[in-house]
Amino acid sequence: GAVVSQHPSWVICKSGTSVKIECRSLDFQATTMFWYRQFPKQSLMLMATSNEGSKATYEQGVEKDKFLINHASLTLSTLTVTSAHPEDSSFYICSARATGTGQFEQYFGPGTRLTVT
Amino acid sequence: AQSVTQLDSQVPVFEEAPVELRCNYSSSVSVYLFWYVQYPNQGLQLLLKYLSGSTLVESINGFEAEFNKSQTSFHLRKPSVHISDTAEYFCAVSPGGGADGLTFGKGTHLIIQP
């Protein structure tokens, strides 16, 4: 149980275009989903926290207008990279925390490799 | 704010030898501590966690970690490693309560040599 999927697993786009990445909790409901970014040989950096039905909370230094997050249902959150540039190329990983008290564990998706040319 | 330090980016170990992966953290509040493992081409999987209670926590595949508050450490150990343990290991913290996202260390690549 507790499976999180991401789609697509990898994407190549041209500079200036927008890309949407989906994160789904397949067998549980997730009130909260998190988006992370991982550079090669680097750690995962938290970008934003997404709560179902409300606006996402962005970490300091993350441009909310560039990285649009929508959490429209208890099983789906999307990250849209708008007007992508080569420096946005990275590995984007989402995680989901199950709904309910005492639920601290985050379940991670397999990640999406974004390459902007 | 929290921070996590994993001093070793890479640890080579012979098969069946013991291993310790080091993790130190800093935080002004109480924290929850986690170890995640990432196998090649896979997502992160929770290995073990410390929330409260006994400071020694164990995983089902032989790993254990001990929370040491005075040394602000949460080192991961295994008495005898296998080839299948080859992976990237990440230490992470979140503020007590678990409502926030995780702060990760840079990861340690465990390389098991036959």
Side-chain angles (χ1 to χ4, degrees), chain A residues 23-26 28-30 33 52 71-77:
Chain A
C23 176
R24 293 182 184 273
S25 57
L26 298 184
F28 66 100
Q29 294 186 326
M33 290 184 173
E52 186 265 339
H71 193 160
S73 77
L74 287 172
T75 59
L76 173 65
S77 176

Side-chain angles (χ1 to χ4, degrees), chain B residues 14-17 61 78 80-86 110 112:
Chain B
F14 286 108
E15 194 172 14
E16 297 184 4
N61 56 356
K78 188 171 185 179
S80 176
V81 296
H82 302 285
I83 290 286
S84 58
D85 293 325
T86 297
L110 178 60
I112 309 301

Side-chain angles (χ1 to χ4, degrees), chain B residues 2-114:
Chain B
Q2 298 80 43
S3 67
V4 178
T5 302
Q6 291 181 250
L7 287 173
D8 305 306
S9 60
Q10 192 167 285
V11 173
V13 181
F14 286 108
E15 194 172 14
E16 297 184 4
V19 69
E20 179 179 78
L21 305 184
R22 296 179 292 170
C23 172
N24 288 90
Y25 70 94
S26 78
S27 175
S28 57
V29 299
S30 62
V31 295
Y32 292 169
L33 295 153
F34 306 83
W35 274 100
Y36 283 85
V37 58
Q38 186 176 33
Y39 298 104
N41 301 315
Q42 295 186 30
L44 276 74
Q45 300 173 32
L46 180 67
L47 191 57
L48 42 76
K49 62 187 175 187
Y50 170 78
L51 304 181
S52 64
S54 173
T55 57
L56 184 66
V57 290
E58 299 176 349
S59 71
I60 58 174
N61 56 356
F63 282 94
E64 65 178 30
E66 186 161 20
F67 169 56
N68 188 318
K69 188 175 181 179
S70 62
Q71 297 186 6
T72 59
S73 67
F74 191 53
H75 301 330
L76 180 70
R77 298 187 292 262
K78 188 171 185 179
S80 176
V81 296
H82 302 285
I83 290 286
S84 58
D85 293 325
T86 297
E88 193 81 20
Y89 292 81
F90 291 94
C91 181
V93 302
S94 74
D100 296 337
L102 297 169
T103 299
F104 284 86
K106 290 189 175 182
T108 298
H109 189 193
L110 178 60
I111 302 169
I112 309 301
Q113 301 169 328

